[in-house]
């Protein structure tokens, strides 16, 4: 029993050393503990821990019983002294085993938390880098869009000026058209007047040709 406890203690101390220092075996040990803590592993570990605790309490109770007999005035024989020493040693070793087991469990837990934290930090760094790269790219795109907007504004101003000049030309053309129309109306009125005067002259000439004087002259 005592030799088994010593073996367990030395094994736990070796595990603690392997978990404390970064060695190739630490990853394998962590993976092994990860598998143990899945499924029925935690139940088995708790059962073993409870059994060791019960045996520890039994050794403590036996030790206390021997001490009570000595306090009552009875003289302890060599056998009782050996048993008391044995129970004390076993209780100490089992308590140390449970303490080291708790230390191993906490070390495994904190190493896992540290690994997850490192992965989270690496992911955050990658996201930050991608965000900064995207920000730089967006800045370049904004500059390019600003240049395009400036070019478009210049084109719009040019088109506005051309539109104004075309509008002025259109107004002048409309004014010229109106003036030509008025001139054409005047020409038509003058043409109608000349036709009327010509018709009057013809009528006069015809009237003169049909008069008696006209006949005499003939």
């Amino acid at each position: 029993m005592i030799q088994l406890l010593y073996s367990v203690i030395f094994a736990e101390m070796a595990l603690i050393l392997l978990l404390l220092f970064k060695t190739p075996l630490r990853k394998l040990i962590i993976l092994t503990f990860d598998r143990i803590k899945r499924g029925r592993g935690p139940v088995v570990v708790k059962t073993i821990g409870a059994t060791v605790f019960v045996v520890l309490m039994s050794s403590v109770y036996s030790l206390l019983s021997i001490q009570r007999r000595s306090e009552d005035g009875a003289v302890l024989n060599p056998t009782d002294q050996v048993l008391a020493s044995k129970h004390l040693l076993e209780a100490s070793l089992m308590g140390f085993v449970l303490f080291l087991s708790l230390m191993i469990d906490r070390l495994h837990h904190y190493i896992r938390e540290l690994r997850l934290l490192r992965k989270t930090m690496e992911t955050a760094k990658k996201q930050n880098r991608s965000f900064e790269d995207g920000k730089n790219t967006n800045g370049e795109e904004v500059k390019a869009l600003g240049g395009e907007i400036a070019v478009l504004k210049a084109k719009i101003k040019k088109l506005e000026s051309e539109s104004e000049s075309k509008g002025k030309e259109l107004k002048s053309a409309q004014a010229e058209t109106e003036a030509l129309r008025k001139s054409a109306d005047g020409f038509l009125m003058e043409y109608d007047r000349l036709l009327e005067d010509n018709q009057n002259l013809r009528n006069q000439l015809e009237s003169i040709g049909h008069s008696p004087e006209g006949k005499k002259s003939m």
Side-chain angles (χ1 to χ4, degrees):
M1 180 71 177
I2 295 175
Q3 291 179 356
L4 178 61
L5 291 174
Y6 273 117
S7 300
V8 174
I9 289 171
F10 286 129
E12 288 178 342
M13 290 174 66
L15 284 175
I16 290 172
L17 290 174
L18 291 173
L19 289 174
L20 286 176
F21 299 101
K22 191 174 182 180
T23 58
L25 292 175
R26 186 172 74 172
K27 187 175 181 180
L28 180 61
I29 294 170
I30 291 171
L31 292 175
T32 304
F33 278 112
D34 290 337
R35 292 180 180 179
I36 290 173
K37 289 186 177 181
R38 295 174 185 172
R40 297 180 180 179
V43 178
V44 175
V45 172
K46 289 179 181 178
T47 304
I48 294 172
T51 304
V52 174
F53 184 75
V54 170
V55 176
L56 171 63
M57 291 293 103
S58 176
S59 298
V60 172
Y61 179 76
S62 299
L63 179 61
L64 292 176
S65 298
I66 294 171
Q67 287 182 353
R68 285 175 185 173
R69 280 185 290 174
S70 64
E71 290 175 357
D72 292 338
V75 178
L76 294 178
N77 54 30
T79 304
D80 291 335
Q81 293 178 0
V82 171
L83 288 174
S85 301
K86 182 182 177 182
H87 289 309
L88 179 61
L89 181 59
E90 287 180 352
S92 301
L93 292 176
M94 284 185 285
F96 200 51
V97 166
L98 293 175
F99 176 75
L100 291 178
S101 300
L102 182 62
M103 289 291 295
I104 291 171
D105 181 69
R106 291 296 90 192
L107 277 174
H108 174 254
H109 175 73
Y110 291 136
I111 289 172
R112 285 186 61 191
E113 292 292 329
L114 184 61
R115 289 175 63 187
L116 292 174
L117 183 61
R118 285 178 179 174
K119 289 182 180 179
T120 305
M121 289 179 66
E122 289 178 357
T123 305
K125 286 181 180 179
K126 289 180 181 179
Q127 290 179 354
N128 190 17
R129 288 176 184 173
S130 62
F131 177 75
E132 289 179 355
D133 294 337
K135 188 176 180 181
N136 294 328
T137 304
N138 291 331
E140 293 177 357
E141 291 179 356
V142 169
K143 289 181 181 178
L145 289 174
E148 292 179 0
I149 290 170
V151 172
L152 291 174
K153 284 183 178 179
K155 289 182 179 179
I156 289 170
K157 288 182 180 179
K158 184 178 180 181
L159 291 173
E160 287 179 351
S161 61
E162 290 178 357
S163 177
E164 289 179 358
S165 62
K166 295 291 183 181
K168 290 180 181 179
E169 291 177 359
L170 181 62
K171 287 182 180 179
S172 62
Q174 288 177 352
E176 291 177 358
T177 302
E178 186 67 20
L180 289 173
R181 188 183 63 78
K182 289 181 180 180
S183 298
D185 291 339
F187 288 149
L188 288 173
M189 291 176 66
E190 184 68 20
Y191 180 73
D192 291 337
R193 188 181 64 79
L194 290 174
L195 286 176
E196 187 178 356
D197 291 341
N198 190 13
Q199 186 67 33
N200 292 329
L201 288 173
R202 285 181 179 180
N203 292 331
Q204 290 177 3
L205 289 172
E206 289 178 356
S207 63
I208 292 172
H210 289 89
S211 65
E213 294 179 353
K215 290 178 179 181
K216 289 180 179 182
S217 63
M218 292 176 63

